[in-house]
Amino acid sequence: MGMHGSAHIVWDWNGTLFHDNDAIIGATNAAFAELGLAPITLEQYRALYCVPVPRFYERLLGRLPTDAEWEQMDEVFHRYYAEHRVRCGLTDGAAELLAGWRSAGHSQSLLSMYGHEELVPLVRGFGIEPHFIRVDGRTGPSGGSKAEHMVRHLEALSGAVEVARTVVIGDAADDAVAARYVGAGAVLYTGGSHSRASLEEVGVPVVDTLAEAVQEAQRLAA
């Protein structure tokens, strides 16, 4: 596993391997309530969500939040999410797909914009950590793009994976942007933070199941 030249998947976590939509929406609405905004539905969230996250809030506020408002909303979001993520589980079939990809002799890693110190024990708790050759969560402030994190992630895997045969699987347009930034392929999954319509605008394969995502990754990395 991890041999230079073999196919490699960089998995996203929230909304992809980890089915946490309910916790995300609840946390978002808790943050909105801090500024007196009305709650939104999952469908509205998928239609409007974007990064950097303050731009998402701008779409609802009609203006960018102030630094103080952003800090307040971000703190409430993460506090609520931490309390409610415990009721969330892996996406159906995710564990089997991870095991199958590994058994086929391919490598895979995990890169999330969820905080690293929170991410690692969560992944470990599901018993899937051994399937990955590297697990990286976000370090530094929240709310930004994944692109620079992707650069560091792949640099850390230098010699173990070939970027030209690497495919990012995620649920957000930003996953494809980060993949393009480093020269990797991308497949986007409709079960998370974006609507199919918004994902299709990105110009990469869009699928409705993780099994289809793995099939597309295999094709792209061939």
Side-chain angles (χ1 to χ4, degrees), residues 37-157:
L37 289 172
I40 63 171
T41 64
L42 177 60
E43 290 70 26
Q44 289 171 316
Y45 180 93
R46 285 175 164 163
L48 296 171
Y49 181 75
C50 64
V51 294
V53 177
R55 294 288 182 187
F56 168 51
Y57 291 152
E58 181 183 26
R59 292 180 173 185
L60 294 140
L61 279 171
R63 59 174 176 82
L64 279 170
T66 66
D67 289 346
E69 287 172 335
W70 162 248
E71 290 177 11
Q72 180 185 15
M73 295 173 79
D74 193 48
E75 190 276 329
V76 170
F77 177 94
H78 286 288
R79 186 175 70 243
Y80 182 101
Y81 179 82
E83 293 170 358
H84 290 78
R85 75 180 188 197
V86 295
R87 294 200 292 269
C88 302
L90 296 177
T91 301
D92 288 346
E96 293 79 9
L97 288 167
L98 293 173
W101 184 259
R102 183 186 183 194
S103 296
H106 306 306
S107 62
Q108 55 200 330
S109 58
L110 177 60
L111 175 62
S112 173
M113 293 300 281
Y114 191 45
H116 184 77
E117 298 303 319
E118 293 80 20
L119 174 70
V120 172
L122 187 55
V123 172
R124 193 168 291 154
F126 284 112
I128 59 174
E129 187 182 22
H131 295 313
F132 304 112
I133 59 174
R134 187 174 181 88
V135 174
D136 282 329
R138 172 186 48 79
T139 57
S142 62
S145 174
K146 201 177 221 179
E148 291 297 337
H149 294 270
M150 187 69 71
V151 170
R152 290 191 291 272
H153 183 73
L154 291 180
E155 283 177 348
L157 294 173

